[in-house]
Amino acid sequence: MKSTPVIAIDGPSASGKGTVAQAVAAELGFHYLDSGALYRIVGLAVVRAGGNLENESEVLSILLKIHIKFEQAQVLLNGADVSDAIRAEPISAAASKVGAHARVRHALLQCQRDFRQQPGLVADGRDMASVVFPDAILKIYLTASAEARAERRYKQLIGKGFNASIAALLQEIRLRDQRDSERAAAPLQKCADAVEVDTTHLSVAQSIARVMALYRALPR
């Protein structure tokens, strides 16, 4: 499996890493892992079960009882399509909270690594380069200003029919950045060997082109 190439794209919430990673995977014919979706599913499951997001043992107990499946464009939780439900802003916050638990991250580690299949994988998340795929052939840290990310998330949520406030989103993004960066288990960080790509003033197409250029520049 280690001979299977991995492009690891990490970065803060709403930096555009999911959109970029999906497009790069499609262009290269690689598999794609949205690691954030796994934590969103767990967050959604805990919320629906009325569980305590801050209680590691309780979250882990719920995680071990659910069935997660990715089927084409659908994300399934216990057989039900939750593709849209996991994108709601309260579930984004829940995902950040459950992701702070070390035992929860450990339980999902092998699940993420199982996505590594030929001909290659593009994985996006918070700790793809530092923890999950430390031997990735290309490590990208995709970022943008908090204001730009809040605006992008606002447009995304409105487009999906959710109510949203840019001011509230900006506050939540800043809180999530702090929570993700300061957690003890696999904190959000830029690896020393990662290339930083700031997308604040880049279009989606320009961001994708930048990552593709970095990939094509790799020694063969």
Side-chain angles (χ1 to χ4, degrees), residues 84-142:
D84 288 333
I86 63 171
R87 300 299 167 187
E89 197 55 30
I91 302 306
S92 294
S96 181
K97 290 178 181 178
V98 301
H101 300 310
R103 286 191 292 161
V104 171
R105 301 195 75 85
H106 181 74
L108 290 173
L109 187 58
Q110 191 55 50
C111 175
Q112 294 172 83
R113 288 177 172 162
D114 287 343
F115 278 81
R116 186 176 196 167
Q117 298 176 21
Q118 291 288 355
L121 174 69
V122 181
D124 83 70
R126 301 291 193 283
D127 61 347
M128 295 298 98
S130 59
V131 176
V132 185
F133 302 109
D135 62 337
I137 62 168
L138 177 60
K139 298 178 181 180
I140 303 288
Y141 186 80
L142 207 71

Side-chain angles (χ1 to χ4, degrees), residues 141-165:
Y141 186 80
L142 207 71
T143 189
S145 70
E147 290 77 12
R149 289 184 283 134
E151 186 176 346
R152 291 171 187 173
R153 180 57 59 84
Y154 175 80
K155 290 177 180 177
Q156 181 186 51
L157 291 171
I158 293 298
K160 289 182 176 292
F162 293 113
N163 292 321
S165 157

Side-chain angles (χ1 to χ4, degrees), residues 165-187:
S165 157
I166 288 186
L169 288 171
L170 180 58
Q171 182 180 21
E172 174 55 35
I173 279 174
R174 285 173 171 160
L175 287 172
R176 186 168 185 180
D177 285 351
Q178 181 178 10
R179 188 163 56 235
D180 290 351
S181 299
E182 295 179 355
R183 69 188 180 210

